[in-house]
C-alpha cells in the first residue's frame, strides 16, 4: 500500500478557482461601494435642487443649471456645492464677474 502524498498540482484548479472568486468578490465590493457613493451624491444633489426650486420658484432644470454654472465658475465640485446648499439652505456663491453663458452641446 502506498502512503498518501500531497502533490501541489492536485489542488491547483481549486486554488485558482478560489482565487478567481476572491478577485470577483473584491471587484463586486468596489462596485457596490461606488454605487452607494453615487446614490448618496444623487440624493444630495436632488435635495439641493429642491431647495433652490422652492427658494427661487424655478423649475428643476433651472435649479440644476444654477448648480452646474456655480460649480464651473467657482471650480468646485457640484456635489460639494449641493452639500452646502443642503446644509445652509442657500447657494452662497460669489461670482467675480458674470457667469459664463452655458451652451448646449
Amino acid at each position: 500500500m502506498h502512503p498518501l502524498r500531497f502533490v501541489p498540482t492536485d489542488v491547483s484548479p481549486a486554488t485558482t478557482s478560489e482565487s478567481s472568486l476572491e478577485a470577483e468578490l473584491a471587484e463586486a465590493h468596489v462596485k457596490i461601494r461606488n454605487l452607494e457613493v453615487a446614490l448618496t451624491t444623487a440624493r444630495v444633489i436632488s435635495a439641493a435642487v429642491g431647495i433652490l426650486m422652492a427658494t427661487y420658484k424655478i423649475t428643476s432644470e433651472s435649479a440644476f443649471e444654477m448648480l452646474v454654472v456655480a460649480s464651473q465658475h467657482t471650480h468646485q465640485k457640484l456635489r460639494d456645492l449641493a452639500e452646502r446648499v443642503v446644509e445652509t439652505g442657500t447657494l452662497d456663491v460669489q461670482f467675480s464677474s458674470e457667469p459664463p453663458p452655458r451652451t448646449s452641446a
Side-chain angles (χ1 to χ4, degrees), residues 48-53 58-68 91:
V49 165
I51 291 167
L52 295 175
M53 288 172 63
I58 56 177
T59 65
S60 61
E61 292 82 12
S62 295
F64 184 75
E65 185 75 10
M66 284 178 70
L67 286 172
V68 170
L91 179 61

Side-chain angles (χ1 to χ4, degrees), residues 19 24-26 28 32 37 40 46 50 55 57 60 63 69 71 78 89 92 94 98-99 103:
S19 185
E24 287 180 35
L25 182 60
I32 289 168
V37 169
T40 300
S46 292
T55 301
K57 308 293 187 237
S60 61
V69 169
S71 171
L78 191 132
D92 188 23
Q94 300 298 320
E98 285 295 312
T103 57

